[in-house]
């Protein structure tokens, strides 16, 4: 019984030192706003964390915004960087950069056009997002 108490106390101390709430793992729901085209969407990120590596699924509700699918990235302290794909024809390399504060991640994202779309006049798009842990 005494050794079990010590293990629980040590785990509790680890959460204080590292802060369990700083983990990116979990289901996050919120919204994003593409400032370039003036469109918003509901957003859900399901993230698995292995050390500083992140993997997961991103789902956008709006049909006019790209980025739903597999995402990968990393976490450093409370800073999260994730990358998801666009539609592959017009936009690719969507980079999401945010900071965890409690049960919220707030940040910005950048959408890169494909080389052929850039030749046709498509520009980089920028936006913001906020999600809360569910």
């Amino acid at each position: 019984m005494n050794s079990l108490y010590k293990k629980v106390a040590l785990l509790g101390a680890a959460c204080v030192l590292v802060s369990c709430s700083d983990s990116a793992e979990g289901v996050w729901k919120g919204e994003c706003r593409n400032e370039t085209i003036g469109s918003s969407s509901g957003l859900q990120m399901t993230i698995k964390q292995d050390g500083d590596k992140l993997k997961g699924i991103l789902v956008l509700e709006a049909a006019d915004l790209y980025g739903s699918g597999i995402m990968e990235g990393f976490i450093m302290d409370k800073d999260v960087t994730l990358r998801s794909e666009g539609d592959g024809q017009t936009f690719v390399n969507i980079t999401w950069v945010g900071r965890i504060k409690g049960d919220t991640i707030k940040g910005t994202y950048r959408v890169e056009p494909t080389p052929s779309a850039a030749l046709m006049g498509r520009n980089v798009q920028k936006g913001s997002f906020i999600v809360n842990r569910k």
Side-chain angles (χ1 to χ4, degrees), residues 33-78:
R33 174 151 181 82
N34 184 314
E35 305 296 339
T36 304
I37 65 170
S39 183
S40 296
S41 176
L43 165 69
Q44 179 173 312
M45 297 177 170
T46 303
I47 302 173
K48 295 287 184 186
Q49 183 172 338
D50 183 11
D52 63 350
K53 295 178 184 170
L54 304 175
K55 289 186 177 188
I57 302 291
L58 181 134
V59 177
L60 294 168
E61 293 173 1
D64 62 338
L65 295 181
Y66 303 109
S68 292
I70 296 172
M71 61 183 179
E72 293 184 339
F74 62 93
I75 183 169
M76 182 178 287
D77 295 319
K78 295 180 181 185

Side-chain angles (χ1 to χ4, degrees), residues 1 4 14 17 20 25 45-46 72 77 82 91 113 121 125:
M1 184 75 142
L4 177 62
L17 293 174
C20 292
E25 183 145 340
M45 297 177 170
T46 303
E72 293 184 339
D77 295 319
L82 295 161
F91 294 102
Q125 295 183 2

